[in-house]
Amino acid sequence: MEEAQYYAIIGRGEAPSDPSGLARRIKDGDQTIDQSLRRDLSWGPTTAITTWDYGEDLTQDLRKISKQEAGDLIERFQEKWSREG
Amino acid sequence: MTISDEPRSAGAVRLHQVAAGLTAVGLVTHLHRTRAGTDLTATLHLPGHHDIEVIADEDGYTELRYWCSLNSTPATHVATIARLLKALTTSQSLANRARQASERVAGYDGAVTERAEGVGMTGPHDHLAEQGRIPDQARPREADNPHDSQVRPDDLQARLERLPPNHPSSPYRDDGSRKPPPPDLTKCELPLPDESSDSPSGPDLPADDEAQTHPDGSWEWKEAKLSLERSLIADQAIGRCHETEGRDVNGNYGDRGLTPAMRRIEVQLEHGHLVEDTEKFALKDPDRFKEKFAKLIADRPGRDPSELVQQINDGVRYTFIYEDAEYSSGVMEVSGAIAAAGYELYERKNAWVDETKVYQGVNSTWREDSHGVLFEVQVHTPESWQAKQESHTFYEVGQSLTSTPEQRADAARRQKEIFAEVSIPPNIRDILSYRKEGW
């Protein structure tokens, strides 16, 4: 059974309510796949979650969010990025 | 501009006009009248940089000579040459030759030289031949010129042979004797201080593990990619890191820069010290910097890349070591010393007290104001530093976009096992995490 945990990616200088990226960790049995949302709204491989789990890097933070919050964030990104072109 | 005599041919008149134009744009220009014709040399002096030289003759043959900074990456070097070629190229054949040559850049193996011999820069006679015209006979070479009889007229070497003896590129001395051949500079090359064994561009790595700079100037390593524009943004940031770190082009240090400052701070410390080979590891490998930048762009498409590159805090980095007993007070001691040296603390994270993380140590982000560059300072105990070194291979597996989920899971497990063995120093909760307001 596939399940996903979503993470808002919050860079330094960014408000937690205004993240600049979205990542997800999909677990399917023993398999774990980490992905982040691209500007074309596709999902691509990422090491952001692994880096955050390790805890050494001070470039960005991740915050666990629900699937509903992730959906809202994708809508916000879609609107913002289509406006920016 | 100095002119030795009045021009005697249309080509010489034209060269005089070129000299006047170059002088007008700030080059120091000289014209030389010889039996073979008129030659021009012009030099642009730039404070703090090598001179840029232009050499030209009546046939239109022109050399532009400059030094590439060793602080720049191969991608910048290629991009600069590509821009020059673009400016020069009206001939599609030259563009194609440049493309073929640059395809060899990332995997340089000596074969480029062989190809280059066949490609050779088109000389004026080649140009005439392409147009179906006979070579210009208006300026016949002197029969008593010993140089002309020895070489082919369409060879680049021939151009050098025909230069006047006092010309800096002439293979002849003023007295007409031949200069010794130039040394093979490749035999004099030393590895750069940041070319450590973990550099992804290392010659011993298999081809699929090497960072690539493509003919269009874009950069790629494994799944991390940067367009030419973004690669150049990274190159500029890497250049700022090099400038801030303090070493000169020969790898030597004076008083200025972060590394000399850290060494001065080290002397002030009561107990702690910088790790061995601090200078070797002070600068992040340029390809690893680009990899990190590419990941940030991919993961955070909502941010401008030129802003993201400024958030990379470990382009320059240092590690101090304190024994367990002095560790907690030592973290604050070294923090105070860095602040007293004029650097601003942006963030300090005490990872020892975060049980959700694998890593153990105190990392901090600082800012050097004159270049606007962030740098990182880590403070470890001997054990946590050793654990970091031991687990580095697994860290790399976790950070690679091409690792499989199984490889990542195994690497994470091994990292946990190694750090779990590290003793926690006393009074560790006395070290407070900090983040500058707005950061």
Side-chain angles (χ1 to χ4, degrees):
Chain A
M1 177 70 179
E2 189 177 281
E3 54 179 293
Q5 171 64 59
Y6 291 87
Y7 301 83
I9 304 176
I10 303 152
R12 294 296 183 262
E14 293 172 359
S17 59
D18 189 24
S20 54
L22 177 66
R24 69 182 182 186
R25 172 166 281 174
I26 301 171
K27 287 191 177 178
D28 189 2
D30 291 340
Q31 288 270 351
T32 301
I33 298 171
D34 292 348
Q35 296 175 322
S36 64
L37 186 71
R38 305 296 197 249
R39 199 176 176 93
D40 62 2
L41 302 178
S42 66
W43 292 91
T46 183
T47 60
I49 302 170
T50 304
T51 302
W52 184 68
D53 279 343
Y54 183 61
E56 181 185 14
D57 187 74
L58 299 184
T59 309
Q60 60 194 16
D61 274 329
L62 269 59
R63 180 169 57 88
K64 288 183 180 178
I65 58 174
S66 68
K67 187 175 181 180
Q68 177 62 46
E69 288 175 303
D72 292 345
L73 195 53
I74 291 172
E75 274 186 30
R76 276 167 55 190
F77 284 149
Q78 188 171 13
E79 186 184 341
K80 183 183 177 195
W81 296 341
S82 63
R83 204 171 51 235
E84 291 172 354
Chain B
M1 180 176 71
T2 61
I3 303 174
S4 57
D5 202 348
E6 289 302 309
R8 294 185 298 192
S9 68
V13 170
R14 184 178 180 282
L15 204 57
H16 279 240
Q17 293 168 342
V18 171
L22 292 177
T23 301
V25 296
L27 280 74
V28 177
T29 308
H30 299 275
L31 286 165
H32 309 275
R33 169 71 58 76
T34 70
R35 283 179 298 178
T38 303
D39 291 288
L40 172 154
T41 59
T43 306
L44 179 62
H45 300 292
L46 296 168
H49 296 269
H50 289 289
D51 291 346
I52 297 174
E53 296 177 321
V54 178
I55 298 167
D57 72 11
E58 292 182 27
D59 292 336
Y61 168 75
T62 306
E63 284 182 40
L64 174 62
R65 305 198 305 193
Y66 69 99
W67 287 79
C68 170
S69 168
L70 291 179
N71 288 337
S72 70
T73 65
T76 306
H77 199 165
V78 171
T80 302
I81 294 169
R83 283 198 297 271
L84 290 168
L85 288 173
K86 188 177 178 183
L88 289 169
T89 305
T90 53
S91 158
Q92 189 58 40
S93 63
L94 182 57
N96 289 338
R97 290 169 184 178
R99 193 173 305 117
Q100 289 165 7
S102 53
E103 282 169 359
R104 313 292 299 230
V105 166
Y108 177 76
D109 58 6
V112 174
T113 304
E114 189 177 343
R115 178 190 292 268
E117 285 173 0
V119 172
M121 188 172 178
T122 309
H125 295 284
D126 301 314
H127 182 63
L128 293 174
E130 285 170 8
Q131 294 176 341
R133 291 167 52 190
I134 58 170
D136 183 7
Q137 299 297 323
R139 190 163 63 88
R141 301 298 168 205
E142 298 284 338
D144 59 352
N145 184 340
H147 311 152
D148 279 354
S149 61
Q150 297 170 9
V151 291
R152 292 177 10 232
D154 60 346
D155 191 329
L156 175 60
Q157 182 61 30
R159 310 298 311 176
L160 298 173
E161 298 279 348
R162 284 167 40 203
L163 291 171
N166 61 345
H167 193 288
S169 293
S170 171
Y172 296 92
R173 300 189 181 94
D174 287 352
D175 62 6
S177 61
R178 182 174 279 277
K179 294 176 184 173
D184 181 358
L185 295 178
T186 59
K187 293 177 180 172
C188 304
E189 289 177 355
L190 294 171
L192 292 174
D194 60 322
E195 285 179 343
S196 57
S197 58
D198 65 345
S199 168
S201 298
D204 296 334
L205 293 170
D208 62 353
D209 199 29
E210 292 180 4
Q212 304 281 325
T213 300
H214 296 296
D216 64 358
S218 62
W219 174 95
E220 182 175 2
W221 187 39
K222 297 181 180 174
E223 293 294 315
K225 296 171 186 171
L226 291 174
S227 65
L228 168 63
E229 181 189 4
R230 290 170 178 177
S231 184
L232 290 174
I233 290 172
D235 287 335
Q236 288 167 359
I238 292 165
R240 285 195 296 274
C241 288
H242 279 248
E243 180 67 21
T244 307
E245 189 267 339
R247 76 187 67 180
D248 64 20
V249 292
N250 298 314
N252 300 318
Y253 294 96
D255 290 338
R256 63 160 206 92
L258 281 173
T259 297
M262 291 301 136
R263 286 295 185 193
R264 289 192 293 271
I265 286 167
E266 181 185 30
V267 172
Q268 299 168 26
L269 302 178
E270 196 172 343
H271 297 290
H273 61 87
L274 285 161
V275 293
E276 194 177 346
D277 291 331
T278 281
E279 284 74 11
K280 181 178 176 183
F281 297 110
L283 285 166
K284 194 178 188 74
D285 178 272
D287 286 314
R288 294 198 184 281
F289 188 101
K290 289 191 174 186
E291 180 194 25
K292 186 167 187 173
F293 183 41
K295 287 179 179 177
L296 286 176
I297 292 171
D299 289 340
R300 290 163 59 191
R303 287 295 292 266
D304 185 332
S306 59
E307 292 175 12
L308 287 173
V309 79
Q310 292 178 41
Q311 293 191 355
I312 296 176
N313 70 326
D314 61 350
V316 191
R317 64 274 178 93
Y318 302 94
T319 300
F320 288 87
I321 302 286
Y322 279 88
E323 294 294 333
D324 285 26
E326 290 93 23
Y327 183 80
S328 295
S329 59
V331 170
M332 304 317 289
E333 179 192 32
V334 76
S335 254
I338 296 170
Y343 305 108
E344 184 180 7
L345 178 63
Y346 268 48
E347 184 170 0
R348 177 174 54 235
K349 182 181 177 187
N350 181 357
W352 294 94
V353 298
D354 187 345
E355 293 171 359
T356 66
K357 305 301 178 194
V358 176
Y359 177 78
Q360 290 178 321
V362 174
N363 286 14
S364 53
T365 298
W366 297 79
R367 187 171 190 272
E368 194 271 0
D369 273 343
S370 66
H371 296 91
V373 167
L374 298 177
F375 64 98
E376 183 187 65
V377 174
Q378 299 190 1
V379 188
H380 282 280
T381 64
E383 275 189 55
S384 66
W385 176 241
Q386 180 66 23
K388 186 179 165 181
Q389 306 306 306
E390 278 181 29
S391 62
H392 185 71
T393 304
F394 305 118
Y395 175 83
E396 291 293 334
V397 171
Q399 288 300 305
S400 172
L401 288 167
T402 55
S403 296
T404 64
E406 292 80 7
Q407 288 171 327
R408 276 215 195 111
D410 181 61
R413 183 179 55 78
R414 301 289 292 274
Q415 285 176 307
K416 278 182 189 169
E417 287 172 359
I418 291 170
F419 273 103
E421 297 296 317
V422 175
S423 305
I424 297 177
N427 305 316
I428 198 64
R429 294 191 181 278
D430 290 353
I431 303 168
L432 301 178
S433 292
Y434 165 86
R435 193 180 293 184
K436 178 186 161 139
E437 192 174 345
W439 181 241

